[in-house]
Amino acid sequence: MEKFTTLSGIAAPLPLVNIDTDMIIPKQFLKTIKRSGLGANLFDEMRFDRDGTEIADFVLNKPQYRDAQILVAGDNFGCGSSREHAPWAIADFGITCVISTSFADIFYNNCFKNGILPIALPQEQVDVLMKDAEKGSNARIEVDLEAQTITSSDGDVFTFEVDAFKKHCLLNGLDDIGLSLEKVAAIDSFEAKAAAERPWV
């Protein structure tokens, strides 16, 4: 997993509430167990019509937001089913930070395991960042995980809360596998001792 330290990127405004995981990545794309390739189908039913043609007025289809790395969204983002494909699709598209007033718990935790920083802020601060994002590619929002700050293109600075352990994992690029690999020496020592003491196992 890539380390997340600081990010200066284009933010796409998506002021819809209750965006669920089926909207993020529809069920027909859940057959794969690969994390790559799902970005092409992110928000599929909002981005494309039935013929597969792009819907021009959807935010991520607009030229100024095609390279967005930050998503500023409405309340209760990531609700619905617990599919981990949702953060996979977001990350594969290139978005590594989602800002909202609230997140569904399972989606929120899955984000950290996939290199995405979900940030919950009060409504009035999200409103400021939403308006900032509406400026297009000329406005870049800066996110500093170590300092736990967000800076708008106009210089407004907001602080955010993040669990210390989740912060540590993102800063060091550690998913569940990475955390286990940090304990390889201790695991090997335990296994060797256990094999010596109980050779019949």
Side-chain angles (χ1 to χ4, degrees), residues 9-138:
I10 298 166
L14 191 62
L16 301 176
V17 299
N18 302 321
I19 294 177
D20 64 31
T21 53
D22 191 56
M23 294 168 70
I24 296 170
I25 185 71
K27 58 186 178 300
Q28 63 266 32
F29 303 110
L30 303 185
K31 297 175 184 178
T32 183
I33 57 171
K34 295 181 180 179
R35 299 187 183 193
S36 59
L38 288 172
N41 305 112
L42 177 68
F43 297 118
D44 191 82
E45 294 176 359
M46 291 190 281
R47 283 173 66 197
F48 306 101
D49 62 22
R50 291 186 178 181
D51 297 323
T53 303
E54 287 189 353
I55 298 172
D57 62 353
F58 182 68
V59 62
L60 296 180
N61 290 337
K62 295 179 180 180
Q64 63 268 41
Y65 296 114
R66 287 185 180 272
D67 296 320
Q69 294 173 281
I70 301 167
L71 189 65
V72 184
D75 188 54
N76 195 30
F77 190 87
C79 57
S81 68
S82 60
R83 64 190 68 169
E84 197 167 6
H85 293 69
W88 290 358
I90 291 171
D92 191 63
F93 185 85
I95 293 170
T96 54
C97 179
V98 182
I99 301 169
S100 178
T101 53
S102 69
F103 297 88
D105 287 344
I106 295 175
F107 174 84
Y108 182 81
N109 289 314
N110 281 340
C111 280
F112 286 99
K113 295 179 180 181
N114 290 281
I116 300 168
L117 174 61
I119 298 175
L121 293 175
Q123 184 65 62
E124 59 271 19
Q125 296 180 7
V126 172
D127 290 342
V128 170
L129 295 172
M130 190 75 73
K131 289 181 180 179
D132 199 40
E134 289 169 356
K135 296 177 183 177
S137 56
N138 290 327

Side-chain angles (χ1 to χ4, degrees), residues 2-8 96 115 117 142-149 160 167-173:
E2 293 292 325
K3 295 180 180 181
F4 188 114
T5 53
T6 59
L7 171 64
S8 177
T96 54
L117 174 61
E142 296 183 5
V143 180
D144 187 327
L145 177 55
E146 182 63 54
Q148 296 179 209
T149 59
F160 61 89
K167 177 180 178 179
H168 167 80
C169 290
L170 272 186
L171 286 172
N172 293 281

Side-chain angles (χ1 to χ4, degrees), residues 194-201:
E197 292 177 349
R198 296 176 294 169
W200 59 90
V201 176

Side-chain angles (χ1 to χ4, degrees), residues 173-192:
L174 297 172
D175 57 11
D176 288 346
I177 295 172
L179 286 167
S180 297
L181 290 175
E182 284 192 318
K183 308 295 184 183
V184 166
I187 293 169
D188 288 345
S189 175
F190 174 83
E191 292 289 345

